[in-house]
C-alpha cells in the first residue's frame, strides 16, 4: 500500500502526469453534463458518430500537415453536430441511421486518407492512438492544457446558465416551443456543446470510447436518483471519480488510459444497478 | 372578447392539406371541443394554433393581447417522458420559463406561481416525487399544473385523457371544467371522446372528411352531422 503511494508521489512530480489529471477531471466533468440529455433524447450514439467525424478531420489535418489540428477538427465536428441534432426531426434519414451513416463514413474516409497520403512510418500506431486515446493524454503541452481548461470552463458556465432551458427542451420540446421558448436555438446550443466536449475528450479516451464517457455516468445516476438536478450532479461526481481512479490505475498498472477509465465507469454502473433496483 | 380567430385556414404538412376552408373563433371563457375521427386533422389544428407548424393558407389571428407566452399547452405524452428522471416540482416550474426572458434562473415569483398551480391541482404533496413513479392521472395533473404556470388565459389540451382509467378520466374532466368555470380560463380541447365533450363544452368544432361543423353545443346537437354522430355513440353504448 505505502509502495503504491510512494510510486504515485514519484509520478506526480512530473508535470505531464499533473496535466493529465487536470485535463482528465475537466473532460470527465463536461462529458457527464450532457449525457442525461442525450440518453433521454435517444441520441446515445451521437458521441460515437461525432468522434468519428473528428477522426476524419484529424486525418485531413495530418495530411495537410497543420501544426494545430484543433482549427479544422473543432469547426467540422460542430457543423456535423448541428446537422445531426437540429435537422434530426425532419430529415429524410432520421436519428440513428443518420448517425450511423456519418459515423462509419467518416471513419472509412479518414483511414483511407491517412493510408493513401500519410508519410508517417508508424501508420497503425497513429490510427490506434486516435481511436483509443492511448498515451496522447500523457503528452499534452502546456498550451493544450490551457485550451482544455478554457473550453471546459466555457462549457460548464454555459451549461449552468442555460440549465433550466436545457431541462425544459429535453423534457418536452413541443411545450417549450408552444409557450415561447426557442427550442431550436437550445437544440443548437446542445449540439455545439456536445461537439466541443467530444473534441476535448478525444485526447482522453480516443474516438472509439467517447460514448462510454458520455453515457455511463448518466445511466448510473439515473438508476438511483429521481430529480433532474440530482441526476446531473451525481453523474458529474461519478464521472470525475471514475476518471481519477482510471488515471491512477493506468499509471500504476501501465494500462491504456481510456480503456481503464471506461472500465471504472462500467464497474460503477454495475454497482449502481442493484442499488437502483433495491430502492424501487 | 375574441381571443383566437381562424379565417379560411388550410392545415397540413408539406403542402398536403388535411383540412381546408376552416373558419371559427374562440372567445374568452369558451370551452371549445375539437372532435372528429382519426386522421381528420385534430392534432394538426392544435399544432398550427400553437405555431409549431405554419398554416398552408388563410389567417389565424390572436386578439385581446394574446401572445405565444399566454398559451398553456398540455401535449400528448411521449413514450420517453415516462422514464424521465425529474421531480414534479422541476417539471411544474419549467412552465414558468416563458416569463423568464433574459433571466437564467427562476425567481421567487416563479416559485410562488408553481406552488399555486400545484396546490390548485392538489399535487403539492407530490412535489419531491419522481414523475415516472406517478400514476397516469397524476402525471396529467403535473403537466396541467405546468401549463397553468405558463398561462392563466388559454389552455390547449391534446387528448388529455388518452391512456387513463375511467376514474382518472372523470377526475381530469372535472378539473378542466372547473378551471374553465371558476378561473375563467379559455379551453381548447381535442378529444375522441364525443360523449363527454358534448357534456362539458360550450362550443364544438367537428372535423370530418366530408364537412366541418362549428357552433355552440346546442346547435351541434340539432345539426345533421351532430345527430348522426351522437346517435352512433348511443348505439355503440347499447351494444
Amino acid at each position: 500500500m505505502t509502495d503504491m503511494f510512494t510510486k504515485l508521489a514519484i509520478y506526480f512530480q512530473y508535470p505531464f502526469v499533473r496535466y493529465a489529471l487536470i485535463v482528465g477531471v475537466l473532460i470527465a466533468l463536461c462529458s457527464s453534463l450532457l449525457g442525461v440529455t442525450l440518453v433521454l433524447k435517444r441520441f446515445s450514439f451521437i458521441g460515437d458518430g461525432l468522434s468519428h467525424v473528428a477522426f476524419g478531420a484529424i486525418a485531413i489535418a495530418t495530411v495537410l500537415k497543420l501544426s494545430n489540428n484543433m482549427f479544422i477538427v473543432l469547426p467540422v465536428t460542430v457543423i456535423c453536430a448541428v446537422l445531426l441534432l437540429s435537422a434530426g426531426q425532419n430529415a429524410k434519414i432520421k436519428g440513428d441511421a443518420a448517425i450511423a451513416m456519418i459515423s462509419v463514413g467518416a471513419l472509412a474516409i479518414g483511414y483511407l486518407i491517412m493510408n493513401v497520403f500519410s508519410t508517417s512510418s508508424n501508420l497503425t500506431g497513429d490510427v490506434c492512438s486516435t481511436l483509443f486515446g492511448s498515451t496522447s493524454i500523457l503528452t499534452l503541452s502546456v498550451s493544450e492544457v490551457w485550451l482544455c481548461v478554457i473550453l471546459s470552463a466555457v462549457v460548464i458556465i454555459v451549461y449552468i446558465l442555460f440549465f433550466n432551458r436545457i431541462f425544459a427542451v429535453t423534457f418536452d420540446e413541443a411545450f417549450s416551443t408552444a409557450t415561447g421558448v426557442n427550442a431550436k436555438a437550445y437544440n443548437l446550443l446542445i449540439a455545439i456543446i456536445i461537439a466541443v466536449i467530444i473534441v476535448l475528450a478525444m485526447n482522453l479516451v480516443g474516438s472509439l470510447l467517447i460514448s462510454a464517457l458520455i453515457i455511463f455516468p448518466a445511466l448510473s445516476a439515473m438508476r438511483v436518483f429521481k430529480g433532474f438536478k440530482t441526476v446531473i450532479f451525481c453523474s458529474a461526481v461519478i464521472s470525475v471519480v471514475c476518471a481519477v481512479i482510471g488515471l491512477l490505475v493506468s499509471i500504476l498498472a501501465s494500462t491504456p488510459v481510456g480503456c481503464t477509465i471506461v472500465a471504472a465507469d462500467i464497474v460503477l454502473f454495475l454497482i449502481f444497478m442493484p442499488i437502483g433496483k433495491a430502492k424501487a | 372578447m375574441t381571443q383566437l380567430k381562424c379565417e379560411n385556414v388550410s392545415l397540413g404538412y408539406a403542402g398536403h392539406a388535411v383540412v381546408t376552408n376552416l373558419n371559427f373563433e374562440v372567445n374568452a371563457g369558451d370551452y371549445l371541443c375539437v372532435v372528429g375521427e382519426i386522421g381528420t386533422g385534430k392534432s394538426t389544428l392544435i399544432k398550427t394554433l400553437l405555431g409549431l407548424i405554419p398554416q398552408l393558407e388563410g389567417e389565424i389571428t390572436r386578439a385581446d393581447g394574446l401572445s405565444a407566452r399566454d398559451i398553456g399547452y398540455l401535449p400528448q405524452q411521449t413514450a420517453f417522458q415516462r422514464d424521465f428522471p425529474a421531480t414534479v416540482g422541476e417539471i411544474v416550474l419549467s412552465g414558468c420559463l416563458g416569463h423568464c426572458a433574459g433571466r437564467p434562473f427562476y425567481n421567487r415569483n416563479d416559485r410562488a406561481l408553481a406552488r399555486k398551480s400545484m396546490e390548485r391541482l392538489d399535487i403539492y404533496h407530490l412535489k419531491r416525487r419522481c414523475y415516472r413513479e406517478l400514476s397516469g392521472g397524476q402525471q396529467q395533473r403535473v403537466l396541467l399544473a405546468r401549463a397553468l404556470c405558463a398561462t392563466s388565459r388559454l389552455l390547449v389540451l391534446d387528448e388529455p385523457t388518452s391512456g387513463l382509467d375511467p376514474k382518472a378520466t372523470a377526475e381530469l374532466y372535472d378539473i378542466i371544467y372547473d378551471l374553465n368555470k371558476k378561473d375563467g380560463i379559455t379551453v381548447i380541447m381535442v378529444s375522441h371522446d364525443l360523449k363527454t365533450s358534448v357534456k362539458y363544452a360550450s362550443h364544438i368544432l367537428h372535423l370530418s372528411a366530408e364537412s366541418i361543423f362549428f357552433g355552440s353545443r346546442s346547435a351541434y346537437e340539432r345539426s345533421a352531422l351532430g345527430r348522426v354522430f351522437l346517435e352512433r355513440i348511443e348505439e355503440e353504448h347499447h351494444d
Side-chain angles (χ1 to χ4, degrees):
Chain A
M1 201 65 179
T2 33
D3 229 33
M4 208 171 84
F5 282 116
T6 37
K7 202 174 168 190
L8 276 179
I10 293 166
Y11 274 114
F12 272 95
Q13 285 170 351
Y14 297 104
F16 71 88
V17 177
R18 293 200 295 268
Y19 293 160
L21 199 70
I22 295 169
V23 170
V25 165
L26 284 174
I27 290 171
L29 184 60
C30 290
S31 60
S32 66
L33 293 179
L34 276 177
V36 177
T37 301
L38 293 174
V39 168
L40 291 169
K41 275 181 167 276
R42 300 290 184 264
F43 268 120
S44 298
F45 257 107
I46 197 155
D48 252 37
L50 289 178
S51 60
H52 292 175
V53 169
F55 170 79
I58 286 175
I60 293 170
T62 316
V63 170
L64 295 176
K65 294 200 174 61
L66 290 177
S67 54
N68 192 341
N69 55 27
M70 204 62 116
F71 291 113
I72 183 158
V73 177
L74 198 57
V76 169
T77 316
V78 167
I79 290 168
C80 282
V82 169
L83 287 179
L84 281 177
L85 272 176
S86 58
Q89 308 299 323
N90 308 318
K92 285 254 155 63
I93 301 172
K94 283 205 173 55
D96 57 339
I99 291 174
M101 197 177 75
I102 289 194
S103 158
V104 290
L107 195 61
I109 300 296
Y111 186 60
L112 194 68
I113 290 173
M114 270 179 131
N115 217 324
V116 174
F117 296 101
S118 179
T119 46
S120 164
S121 54
N122 182 16
L123 181 67
T124 330
D126 285 354
V127 172
C128 197
S129 77
T130 332
L131 289 182
F132 290 103
S134 59
T135 55
S136 58
I137 186 146
L138 296 174
T139 56
L140 293 170
S141 66
V142 181
S143 64
E144 281 173 315
V145 173
W146 273 114
L147 183 69
C148 177
V149 169
I150 292 165
L151 282 178
S152 310
V154 171
V155 164
I156 293 168
I157 290 168
V158 168
Y159 188 82
I160 291 174
L161 284 180
F162 290 100
F163 177 81
N164 289 325
R165 285 167 173 84
I166 289 174
F167 166 73
V169 170
T170 310
F171 182 70
D172 196 336
E173 212 176 306
F175 177 84
S176 305
T177 315
T179 50
V181 175
N182 192 345
K184 272 205 183 109
Y186 293 112
N187 274 333
L188 203 68
L189 183 75
I190 292 172
I192 293 169
I193 295 178
I194 196 68
V196 172
I197 290 170
I198 281 162
V199 172
L200 283 178
M202 286 200 57
N203 279 328
L204 185 62
V205 292
S207 63
L208 275 187
L209 299 175
I210 283 176
S211 283
L213 210 59
I214 293 173
I215 62 164
F216 267 115
L219 287 173
S220 303
M222 279 163 67
R223 290 308 109 197
V224 176
F225 291 96
K226 293 171 178 175
F228 194 72
K229 241 178 239 171
T230 44
V231 165
I232 300 283
F233 185 74
C234 171
S235 90
V237 171
I238 292 173
S239 186
V240 168
V241 168
C242 287
V244 171
I245 292 174
L247 268 166
L248 295 183
V249 169
S250 75
I251 290 169
L252 290 174
S254 325
T255 50
V257 181
C259 306
T260 318
I261 294 174
V262 174
D265 274 314
I266 294 171
V267 169
L268 223 72
F269 177 73
L270 293 176
I271 295 172
F272 270 58
M273 212 162 54
I275 298 177
K277 278 233 175 79
K279 268 184 103 173
Chain B
M1 205 61 164
T2 306
Q3 282 186 330
L4 205 63
K5 196 172 185 178
C6 280
E7 287 168 293
N8 302 318
V9 169
S10 295
L11 311 167
Y13 288 98
H16 177 74
V18 188
V19 179
T20 52
N21 206 16
L22 182 63
N23 289 288
F24 70 93
E25 57 177 53
V26 181
N27 294 314
D30 278 0
Y31 188 134
L32 172 70
C33 245
V34 184
V35 297
E37 283 164 326
I38 291 166
T40 47
K42 299 189 300 275
S43 287
T44 316
L45 171 65
I46 293 300
K47 289 198 179 109
T48 314
L49 289 182
L50 292 167
L52 299 177
I53 54 173
Q55 69 264 34
L56 301 176
E57 271 172 48
E59 215 168 323
I60 298 176
T61 20
R62 289 199 200 104
D64 195 14
L66 198 76
S67 79
R69 283 167 205 250
D70 294 318
I71 297 178
Y73 176 39
L74 185 71
Q76 290 194 42
Q77 279 201 57
T78 53
F80 90 92
Q81 281 175 351
R82 297 203 180 95
D83 51 38
F84 200 97
T87 61
V88 169
E90 284 176 323
I91 292 172
V92 174
L93 206 48
S94 75
C96 298
L97 272 178
H99 313 294
C100 287
R103 245 191 306 132
F105 305 112
Y106 302 115
N107 63 17
R108 199 177 296 155
N109 293 343
D110 297 327
R111 286 176 208 286
L113 181 61
R115 179 174 178 158
K116 209 179 113 205
S117 311
M118 284 188 274
E119 281 169 347
R120 179 77 182 81
L121 295 179
D122 202 16
I123 50 167
Y124 188 68
H125 60 287
L126 301 173
K127 191 180 168 214
R128 292 183 199 289
R129 285 280 298 279
C130 181
Y131 179 74
R132 63 184 167 193
E133 289 168 356
L134 303 180
S135 71
Q138 287 172 326
Q139 288 184 341
Q140 287 300 70
R141 283 183 194 217
V142 172
L143 297 186
L144 199 54
R146 177 183 65 166
L148 287 182
C149 283
T151 185
S152 53
R153 304 182 64 189
L154 175 62
L155 274 179
V156 176
L157 316 163
D158 194 354
E159 303 264 11
T161 60
S162 69
L164 297 187
D165 61 58
K167 185 168 171 280
T169 302
E171 279 174 10
L172 195 65
Y173 275 125
D174 284 339
I175 292 170
I176 295 166
Y177 188 66
D178 217 41
L179 288 172
N180 175 250
K181 279 284 158 298
K182 284 199 186 134
D183 304 42
I185 300 173
T186 315
V187 171
I188 301 179
M189 179 166 82
V190 165
S191 177
H192 58 269
D193 184 357
L194 192 63
K195 207 172 158 226
T196 326
S197 313
V198 174
K199 189 172 144 204
Y200 288 110
S202 66
H203 291 77
I204 303 276
L205 174 65
H206 188 135
L207 302 175
S208 80
E210 302 85 38
S211 60
I212 295 172
F213 174 88
F214 170 71
S216 70
R217 180 180 63 186
S218 50
Y220 179 68
E221 283 167 336
R222 274 179 273 121
S223 74
L225 189 67
R227 278 210 304 264
V228 170
F229 273 83
L230 289 171
E231 269 166 30
R232 195 186 291 172
I233 287 166
E234 282 302 310
E235 278 165 26
E236 279 167 15
H237 203 67
H238 288 302
D239 283 346

